[in-house]
Each structure stands twice: as C-alpha cells, then as structure tokens.
Amino acid sequence: MELIPIHWWRKEFRNFRISRSSFFKQPWANGVVLLACVVVAMLLANLPFTKDIYHAVLLTEMTANIISPGGTVEWVFPHGMTVEKFINDILMVVFFFTVGLEIKREIVCGELSSFKKAILPVIAAFGGVLVPALLFTVVNQGTLAASGWGIPTATDIAFAVGILSILGDKVPISLKVFLTALAIADDLVAILVVAIFYGGQINLPLLGIASLVILFVVLMNRLGEKRTGLYIVPAITVWFLFYYSGIHATMSGVVMAMLIPMEARYSQTKFQRESRRIYAGLKSSEADRIDEVFPSTRERHYLRELSKLSVRTIPPSYRLEHLLNPIVNFIIMPIFALANAGVEIKDPSLFNVFRAIDPVTGSVGLGIFLGLVLGKPIGITLASWLAIRFKVGAMPAKANWPMLFAVACLGGIGFTMSIFVDTLSFAGPGIDPEITHTLRDAGKIAVLLSSVCAGVLGSLLISLVSGKKSYSAESRSEALPEN
C-alpha cells in the first residue's frame, strides 16, 4: 500500500482552511448555519433517546444561592435563571447590542442618515409592521392567542439579505439597499414593541436607578470618554437593573449600544503624525537586525505601537461591531436557534396553519402565516405606494412595482426576531402554563413554515419579474439613493 506523502495532507488542510474562511464570509452563511441548527434542534426535541435530555438541559438552573451563616438561603441570583433564560436573557443581549450598533451606524452615516434616504424604507417598515399585526389580531381577537400580535411584525435581515445576495443581479441594487434599510428600521420597531408590550410588571425604583446609570454614561460620553472598557461595568449594571425592573433584559443591550462613542480616540491628524514617527523609527531600526531576521527587538516595539495607534483611530462602535458580528452570527444566534427552535411534535396538526380557529386559543399558526406571507408584502408595498403617491418618498432607481412587491415578500422572513417575540408571548396571570407552552410551540412552527414560504415566494417572484434582465454592479452609482 502506497503512503500518501505528507505534503499532500498539508495542501488539503490548507485548502480546507481557505474554503472554510471563504464560507464564513458569504452573506448567506449565517442563514445556512441557522437552518442547520433548526434541523438539529427539531431532531433533539423529537428523537426518543434525546428529547428528555434536550428539555432537561434547557431547564437546568443556573442560579447562585447566597446562604447565611445560619444555613438559610438569603438571596438567589439571578432569580429564576435557567439555561434557556440564560440564552434568551443574557446571550441575546449581545445580539441586541450588535443590532443597536448597526442601527446607530445607519442613522449616523448609513442608509438612515438623511430624510431622503430614510423616509421610504422607514414608512415601508411601519406598513410592514401594522398590516401583519392587524391580520393576526383579526384572526385571534378575543382569544388567548391575541397577545402574540407582535410575532409576525419582524423581518430577519440576515436571511432576507442572504437570499438577495444569492439572487445576484436579478434585483436592482437600489432595492437591495431599500430592503436592508427597511429591515434595520423594522428591527428598531420590533425592539420598541418588545420593550413596551412584552416586559413584566415595572419596578419603578429599579428603573429609576437604571435611568441614573444611563445618564451617567451619557455624561461620560459627552465628556469625550472613548475607552471601551469603562462602558462595561455600567452595561452590566443596566442589564441587572433591567432584569429585575420588569423591562426585558435584552433592551439593555440596545440602550448601551446607542451610547457607545462613534468618534475615535485619535484624530486623523494625530494618526498621521504618530504613524510618520513610527515609520521613521522602523526605518532607523533596520540596522539592529541580526542575520536579516525581521522584526528585530526595536522593530517589534514600533510595530506594537503601530497596532495600538491603528486600534485607537477606529471608533469604539465600529470596532465592537466588527468584533461581535462573527460571534453573534455563528455562535449566539445558532445557540439561540438550538434552544428555541426545538419543538416537540406531540400533535402533527400544529403543522396545519389553516386549521379551524379555536374560540378559546384562537389560531396562532394562521395569524402568523397570514401576517408574514401576506401582511408583510402588502403592508410594505401599500405604505411605499402611499409615500410615493404623496411625494414623500421616491421609487428606488431602476425599480418598478412588481419588483418592489417581490422584494417585499422577502420581508416576510421573520425567523430570529419572530421566534424571540414568540418566546415572550402568551404568558400572563390566569393562563395555564401548558396552554402557553402549546401556543408558543405552534407559533415557532408557524414562524419557520411562514419564513420558508416567504423566502420561496419572494425568490420565485423576483425570478419571474426580472426575466432575463440583469442589473449589473456597474449601475451601482446610479442605483444608490442621493444624499
């Protein structure tokens, strides 16, 4: 038997590393990983030899009991914390923090930075929230499911933009920008919905203390403090106070994201001056090399200085967003999907979103399906038409109404945010926990089915509307909205 030479293994390993790196840089990679986690979660929740372990792990307590010298429990922290709540109330804070950073960036210098840029997608986003909420309410009015109206109001930006990237030049770049800005505005509306309608009973003293901490951070920001580390302790404090005050803890991530500075510690002038000094030092250090070894001891010193200079010239918000995005996309969101998409199918009729409306529990599945698959594109298109009709906004370049409607269908991909809202819905005084659990399971299945339908419908319509027409990247400058 002939042995495979070692250089072959090295080459294959190097190729694997390159292909893996290339995969994670694709805009659709996050969606592929999430879908895989959904499939794994469904299997874990339903296979006979894994379902008990799966649910037991999620319900495992993660609290620390503080015991007095007499042996009695004085305090439990964090109160009621399980693995599932740890994922939804702590890990998802990081997700909402990155969403907040993205929204702030777009408002300050992106697609929401001017009235002309922002007005059409913002109006469309409100239409895409109101119509689905209205359809869900019409279906479930007067039933226990009525509180779930917020579930079909969200758009998953990762999946929507990922599908647009796969479709390539079939969609005008102006509509890709439109959908991205719409999804960001939609995220902001969804955050407000969660904060206002899906919190608990408000503890005003704790909320007051949280407000004082936030004011302290605002003052620190105004005074020009740009060291990221000094924002960590206030961020943890605000999370703690939100967790016990009745406002959903994830909102602390959004609040703190809005307070992270977008100005760098070092100005352009200082960067240029210091970089010239460092490069001069590197030049003068060439004589210190031994046997042409680079870098020498002095050169390593200057390279470290150059690294610090570069980091401090990048604004903290951009730096944090760049650092956290891969962690959120490929660790936190997959973990969230594993923990929340695992629905045990005790009743196959849960997959039938068109079943008769129960007078007591309503029809979560039908409300979500109508909201995401029909309500989203209708609301987005109708709101856009009104904005353009009354000359508040303008039709994106090289776009038409059939193409805008086709792209709006992708707004019905709810997934992450919709599942998150589902985990907060249907609970309340007097509601049987078993009914709450059943309604949430029905909601999760409906979100998954509706998101798939919205994605397929949008892709098919875009392919039909575009025909053989191609919108090449050369038209990007014409497609982008004016400042």
Side-chain angles (χ1 to χ4, degrees):
M1 180 179 176
E2 185 179 354
L3 293 176
I4 299 175
I6 190 66
H7 68 81
W8 185 90
W9 291 105
R10 288 175 179 168
K11 179 182 176 183
E12 291 302 310
F13 180 70
R14 186 166 58 251
N15 290 340
F16 170 75
R17 288 177 60 189
I18 292 171
S19 61
R20 183 185 63 180
S21 174
S22 176
F23 168 78
F24 286 116
K25 290 178 181 178
Q26 300 301 321
W28 41 262
N30 178 28
V32 172
V33 173
L34 281 179
L35 283 177
C37 289
V38 169
V39 173
V40 171
M42 292 294 287
L43 290 173
L44 290 174
N46 289 281
L47 291 175
F49 50 89
T50 59
K51 63 180 183 180
D52 291 338
I53 299 174
Y54 173 78
H55 293 295
V57 168
L58 291 178
L59 294 176
T60 301
E61 289 193 7
M62 295 185 67
T63 56
N65 296 332
I66 299 176
I67 302 175
S68 67
T72 59
V73 176
E74 294 290 336
W75 196 41
V76 178
F77 177 80
H79 182 72
M81 184 63 66
T82 62
V83 170
E84 186 175 17
K85 284 184 68 65
F86 174 82
I87 293 168
N88 292 340
D89 289 356
I90 295 182
L91 289 188
M92 287 300 284
V93 172
V94 183
F95 166 76
F96 277 92
F97 181 77
T98 57
V99 170
L101 290 175
E102 185 175 2
I103 291 172
K104 183 179 181 181
R105 169 171 54 80
E106 294 296 331
I107 290 173
V108 172
C109 57
E111 298 306 326
L112 305 178
S113 60
S114 69
F115 181 83
K116 198 167 185 178
K117 281 183 175 183
I119 191 62
L120 184 63
V122 168
I123 291 174
F126 274 100
V129 168
L130 293 175
V131 175
L134 181 62
L135 288 176
F136 187 96
T137 302
V138 168
V139 171
N140 293 286
Q141 187 176 16
T143 70
L144 296 177
S147 61
W149 61 268
I151 299 171
T153 61
T155 296
D156 192 293
I157 187 171
F159 275 106
V161 174
I163 290 177
L164 280 184
S165 69
I166 294 172
L167 293 169
D169 56 10
K170 291 183 178 181
V171 181
I173 293 174
S174 62
L175 280 181
K176 293 181 180 180
V177 173
F178 168 78
L179 183 63
T180 304
L182 182 148
I184 291 167
D186 190 281
D187 277 347
L188 182 56
V189 176
I191 287 166
L192 293 174
V193 168
V194 171
I196 298 170
F197 298 102
Y198 291 98
Q201 187 176 356
I202 303 299
N203 185 316
L204 291 178
L206 289 181
L207 186 59
I209 297 172
S211 300
L212 291 176
V213 175
I214 292 168
L215 286 174
F216 170 76
V217 177
V218 171
L219 179 62
M220 192 166 64
N221 192 323
R222 294 285 184 183
L223 292 174
E225 181 54 65
K226 298 179 178 68
R227 286 174 290 183
T228 309
L230 295 180
Y231 288 84
I232 294 176
V233 173
I236 295 172
T237 305
V238 171
W239 174 88
F240 172 85
L241 293 168
F242 272 32
Y243 184 80
Y244 282 99
S245 69
I247 295 178
H248 201 273
T250 52
M251 295 302 101
S252 64
V254 180
V255 172
M256 292 306 299
M258 294 298 173
L259 301 178
I260 298 295
M262 290 197 72
E263 300 80 26
R265 289 178 65 181
Y266 293 166
S267 65
Q268 180 181 0
T269 304
K270 182 168 184 176
F271 174 78
Q272 291 173 340
R273 184 177 67 248
E274 291 297 312
S275 60
R276 283 196 294 268
R277 178 185 65 79
I278 292 169
Y279 280 120
L282 282 169
K283 187 74 174 174
S284 66
S285 302
E286 290 181 0
D288 293 347
R289 293 190 202 163
I290 302 172
D291 299 327
E292 301 298 321
V293 175
F294 177 82
S296 65
T297 303
R298 282 185 63 194
E299 285 171 329
R300 287 197 297 271
H301 166 73
Y302 285 116
L303 288 172
R304 282 193 295 270
E305 279 200 343
L306 183 61
S307 175
K308 290 179 182 177
L309 177 65
S310 300
V311 168
R312 291 172 181 175
T313 312
I314 301 173
S317 58
Y318 290 98
R319 201 162 65 242
L320 285 171
E321 188 178 352
H322 178 75
L323 172 69
L324 293 174
N325 263 329
I327 296 173
V328 169
N329 290 337
F330 298 106
I331 297 177
I332 292 177
M333 288 176 68
I335 290 174
F336 172 80
L338 283 172
N340 290 277
V343 179
E344 186 177 356
I345 310 300
K346 297 178 181 178
D347 182 5
S349 66
L350 288 176
F351 285 98
N352 180 14
V353 296
F354 297 106
R355 63 179 177 174
I357 300 174
D358 188 282
V360 177
T361 58
S363 180
V364 176
L366 181 60
I368 292 173
F369 186 87
L370 292 177
L372 288 176
V373 180
L374 293 181
K376 272 289 183 181
I378 291 172
I380 291 169
T381 307
L382 180 60
S384 300
W385 182 84
L386 289 172
I388 294 170
R389 173 70 176 79
F390 291 100
K391 302 185 186 307
V392 179
M395 173 69 77
K398 298 185 181 296
N400 52 44
W401 287 114
M403 180 60 78
L404 190 144
F405 179 81
V407 170
C409 288
L410 297 180
I413 304 174
F415 205 77
T416 307
M417 192 67 81
S418 291
I419 291 178
F420 181 78
V421 176
D422 178 82
T423 63
L424 307 177
S425 303
F426 313 122
I431 300 179
D432 188 342
E434 186 64 32
I435 293 177
T436 297
H437 185 72
T438 302
L439 292 174
R440 286 177 178 173
D441 283 351
K444 289 174 185 177
I445 291 175
V447 167
L448 297 176
L449 292 176
S450 303
S451 296
V452 170
C453 289
V456 172
L457 178 63
S459 302
L460 288 175
L461 288 177
I462 288 170
S463 299
L464 289 172
V465 172
S466 65
K468 294 183 179 180
K469 191 171 183 179
S470 172
Y471 300 90
S472 65
E474 295 175 0
S475 64
R476 181 174 178 80
S477 60
E478 301 174 22
L480 289 174
E482 297 177 5
N483 289 322

